[in-house]
């Protein structure tokens, strides 16, 4: 038997709307813990350090440093730390041929607004 | 804690090409497990189903369907889901039913069609939604890449190498050669693992477990609910479960499987002894490096790199690991994995496992399973027949 199922989801962004809206513009919107000041990007809705749920939004510069990187046949991904953030983020590397220790957040595109960075040298623009 | 593994059985794990359906696999494993336990359908009070994703079977509410299909409609039903840990969590849920008196005899059926129902690309896309779908998943990252990043953090901290990982991958495939139900028993060497194509650096194809189809079933019961009190069978004497932050980036050390430390601590505390008493283990080797990360976190090794290199985890070592072949060798139909792991350790301790067993069965064994990347973790300690 063959059976085809097509699913078109409508996913409300909810309390993460400021994060996703900023991502469309290529901006890194982090959350700051109102209790201990921890800065999280991407956000988690709750402080990963003290557990508080009172979080405020704060933009970050959008620059990031690569911690670990992995390469597949068609893509490259990295665990990075965005400047100003206390946690790390999983990102796609836009140009998998590029090799540099730092990068910058790009505007999200398409139906899956994920974190994508372009790598650049520290000495670059 | 004393819950008897009264019986069990599994279908072969592989990529089905024989036209059989996932309902058939569940039926076959269930019927064989009942026969192994010497029980009849009417002896069961409850059925617990483990199935990771309805996307694979295209059957929502699978417990209701399978109860009817297996001929036990009328009894208490539950479906357990915890990613790759689904099967083990189902076993623990069933054991809890027995321990609290909700059921005397419970069947646990784990089943998934992870291989043949959907193409590998679609399965990969679904699996990428099993971390944080809105951040990790939206980057398009696959599970191999997430495990590869965690493995790099582990390598940086412990000085484990790709050769160590390849050693695990080759040994588990060699172990699987003796297992008639295994998906990938292979006569391969470390060099062949290292020569296989890169999937996501540092992981190569042979460092990765396969997508498999299949089912496994165990029957659990209290000793007072079985003929001969289940004396000739292994038993669960400790259970633990714990969770970690879902995203690697939110963990203090992305290479450490911290929730396993907690889960193993709970299971061993319930058993009443320490990790040194464990004589064999089936651990969740979705990737070769993940086996080393697991052994470290479970407290089964103080220096996992040194132990790996000295052969401690081989069949003739002091702590044989994944004699079934593990996920790498026996295979990985998600919902059935944990059930098959419990079945393997119960059988190895009782000297009645179809594949490799230690020359002399130890008294105690450990089962380790997780979902996500060591995010939802279950650990159980089993004791051989008394």
């Amino acid at each position: 038997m063959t059976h085809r199922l097509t699913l078109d989801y409508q996913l409300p962004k909810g309390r993460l709307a400021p994060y996703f809206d900023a991502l469309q513009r290529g901006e890194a919107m982090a959350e700051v813990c109102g209790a201990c000041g921890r800065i999280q990007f991407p956000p988690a809705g709750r402080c990963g350090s003290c557990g508080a749920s009172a979080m405020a939004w704060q933009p970050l510069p959008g620059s990031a440093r690569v911690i670990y990187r992995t390469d597949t046949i068609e893509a490259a991904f990295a665990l990075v730390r965005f400047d100003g953030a206390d946690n790390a983020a999983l990102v796609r590397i836009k140009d998998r041929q590029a090799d540099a220790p730092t990068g910058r957040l790009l505007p999200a595109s398409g139906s899956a607004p994920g974190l994508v960075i372009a790598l650049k040298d520290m000495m670059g623009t | 804690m004393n819950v008897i593994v009264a019986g069990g059985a599994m279908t072969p794990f592989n990529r089905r090409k024989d036209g059989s359906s996932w309902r058939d696999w569940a039926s076959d494993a269930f019927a064989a497990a009942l026969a192994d336990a010497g029980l009849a359908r009417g002896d069961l009070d409850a059925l617990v189903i483990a199935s990771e994703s309805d996307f694979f079977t295209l059957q929502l509410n699978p417990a209701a369907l399978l109860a009817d299909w297996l001929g036990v409609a009328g009894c208490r039903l539950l479906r357990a889901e915890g990613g790759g840990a689904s099967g083990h969590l189902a076993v623990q849920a069933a054991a809890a039913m027995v321990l609290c008196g909700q059921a005397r005899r419970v069947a646990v059926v784990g089943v998934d069609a992870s291989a043949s129902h959907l193409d590998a690309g679609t399965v990969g896309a679904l699996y990428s939604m099993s971390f944080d779908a809105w951040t990790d998943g939206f980057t398009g990252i696959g599970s191999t890449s997430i495990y590869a990043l965690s493995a790099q953090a582990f390598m940086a901290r412990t000085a484990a190498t790709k050769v160590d990982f390849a050693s695990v991958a080759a040994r588990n495939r060699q172990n699987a050669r003796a297992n008639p139900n295994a998906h990938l028993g292979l006569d391969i060497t470390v060099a062949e693992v290292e020569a296989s194509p890169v999937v996501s650096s540092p992981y190569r194809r042979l460092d990765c477990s396969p997508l498999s189809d299949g089912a496994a079933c165990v029957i659990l019961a209290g000793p007072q609910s079985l003929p001969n009190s289940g004396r000739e069978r292994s038993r669960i004497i400790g259970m633990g479960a714990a969770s970690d932050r879902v995203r690697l980036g939110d963990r203090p050390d992305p290479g450490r499987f911290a929730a396993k430390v907690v889960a193993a601590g709970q299971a061993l505390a319930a058993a009443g002894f320490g990790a040194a008493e464990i004589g064999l283990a089936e651990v969740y080797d979705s990737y070769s490096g993940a086996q080393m990360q697991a052994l470290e976190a479970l407290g089964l090794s103080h220096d996992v790199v040194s132990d790996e290199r000295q052969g401690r985890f081989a069949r003739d070592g002091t702590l044989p690991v994944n004699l079934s072949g593990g996920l790498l060798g026996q295979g990985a139909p998600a919902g059935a994995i944990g059930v098959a792991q419990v079945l393997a350790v119960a059988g190895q301790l009782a000297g009645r496992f179809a594949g490799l067993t230690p020359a002399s069965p130890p008294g105690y064994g450990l089962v380790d399973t997780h979902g996500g990347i060591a995010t939802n973790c279950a650990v159980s300690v089993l004791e051989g027949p008394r």
Side-chain angles (χ1 to χ4, degrees):
Chain A
M1 294 184 285
T2 59
H3 183 83
R4 184 171 187 183
L5 182 66
T6 303
L7 303 170
D8 288 308
Y9 289 94
Q10 296 295 325
L11 301 172
K13 292 173 277 191
R15 290 174 185 151
L16 289 175
Y19 163 79
F20 282 115
D21 293 346
L23 200 53
Q24 295 293 336
R25 304 188 299 268
E27 295 168 11
M29 187 63 75
E31 59 185 3
V32 187
C33 176
C36 75
R38 177 180 167 89
I39 297 177
Q40 300 181 151
F41 185 82
R46 181 174 296 277
C47 179
S49 179
C50 74
S53 58
M55 310 294 281
W57 294 103
Q58 174 178 308
L60 298 182
S63 50
R65 175 170 291 275
V66 174
I67 306 171
Y68 298 109
R69 167 182 174 149
T70 183
D71 289 79
T72 73
I73 296 291
E74 67 250 356
F77 300 94
L79 188 65
V80 306
R81 189 177 306 280
F82 279 86
D83 292 336
D86 292 310
N87 62 335
L90 268 179
V91 301
R92 173 188 285 268
I93 294 170
K94 173 75 172 176
D95 177 3
R96 69 187 180 89
Q97 307 297 340
D99 185 14
T102 61
R104 174 166 290 280
L105 185 67
L106 296 173
S109 60
S111 63
L115 297 173
V116 182
I117 65 166
L119 292 183
K120 64 178 179 64
D121 289 323
M122 293 286 282
M123 305 302 289
T125 52
Chain B
M1 188 179 302
N2 184 13
V3 177
I4 312 287
V5 183
M10 63 186 283
T11 69
F13 286 178
N14 54 28
R15 177 181 294 274
R16 285 297 197 289
K17 297 170 180 167
D18 61 358
S20 63
S21 80
W22 70 277
R23 300 182 187 204
D24 300 340
W25 317 332
S27 267
D28 292 348
F30 173 73
L34 266 186
D36 184 50
L39 296 172
R41 283 172 170 72
D43 295 326
L44 298 175
D45 307 305
L47 173 69
V48 182
I49 297 298
S51 161
E52 178 175 19
S53 172
D54 301 340
F55 285 110
F56 296 150
T57 55
L58 210 53
Q59 173 65 60
L60 277 68
N61 197 3
L65 179 279
L66 284 175
D68 215 51
W69 193 252
L70 301 178
V72 295
C75 74
R76 173 189 287 266
L77 299 178
L78 178 71
R79 182 260 188 93
E81 194 284 314
S86 298
H88 195 157
L89 292 168
V91 169
Q92 293 193 341
M97 286 180 186
V98 171
L99 289 168
C100 76
Q102 283 183 338
R104 290 163 300 172
R105 292 170 291 268
V106 186
V108 183
V109 176
V111 60
D112 258 315
S114 309
S116 64
H117 284 196
L118 295 166
D119 65 85
T122 303
V123 174
L126 291 171
Y127 273 153
S128 79
M129 295 290 157
S130 60
F131 304 92
D132 180 344
W134 283 15
T135 55
D136 306 334
F138 280 170
T139 68
I141 194 169
S143 61
T144 306
S145 294
I146 293 181
Y147 275 88
L149 291 167
S150 177
Q152 289 183 45
F154 173 75
M155 294 165 92
R157 175 166 54 74
T158 64
T161 66
K162 288 186 279 188
V163 176
D164 295 319
F165 290 0
S167 167
V168 171
R171 188 176 62 250
N172 289 3
R173 264 51 171 270
Q174 292 284 355
N175 287 350
R177 292 175 67 203
N179 179 349
N181 293 317
H183 187 166
L184 270 186
L186 297 173
D187 185 12
I188 55 167
T189 63
V190 169
E192 287 169 288
V193 176
E194 290 194 282
S196 63
V198 171
V199 176
S200 192
S201 55
Y203 281 139
R204 294 175 178 272
R205 181 171 294 161
L206 287 170
D207 287 304
C208 310
S209 56
L211 299 173
S212 311
D213 299 321
C217 177
V218 294
I219 314 282
L220 303 185
Q224 69 283 4
S225 304
L226 289 169
N228 300 322
S229 304
R231 275 194 305 274
E232 72 282 14
R233 298 302 168 106
S234 298
R235 63 206 62 229
I236 298 170
I237 59 168
M239 300 190 293
S243 56
D244 202 345
R245 298 298 303 278
V246 68
R247 299 189 305 224
L248 280 187
D250 287 327
R251 300 180 185 181
D253 178 350
R256 191 181 292 280
F257 288 173
K260 299 201 181 208
V261 178
V262 180
Q266 291 173 353
L268 288 164
F273 48 73
E277 301 301 314
I278 299 295
L280 60 78
E282 291 281 325
V283 309
Y284 197 83
D285 57 330
S286 47
Y287 294 89
S288 55
Q291 173 162 320
M292 297 182 72
Q293 293 174 273
L295 289 168
E296 172 194 61
L298 294 165
L300 294 177
S301 172
H302 297 301
D303 184 343
V304 70
V305 177
S306 170
D307 284 348
E308 174 60 36
R309 292 174 186 173
Q310 290 174 25
R312 183 171 172 233
F313 308 124
R315 185 196 180 207
D316 57 358
T318 54
L319 180 67
V321 170
N322 286 337
L323 289 177
S324 73
L327 280 68
L328 288 164
Q330 180 167 259
I337 293 168
V339 182
Q341 287 179 304
V342 169
L343 182 61
V345 168
Q348 289 158 8
L349 293 175
R352 55 199 303 278
F353 181 64
L356 286 186
T357 52
S360 171
Y364 306 104
L366 181 143
V367 183
D368 155 65
T369 321
H370 74 242
I373 178 159
T375 310
N376 192 349
C377 298
V379 175
S380 294
V381 174
L382 275 68
E383 179 181 12
R386 289 168 178 160

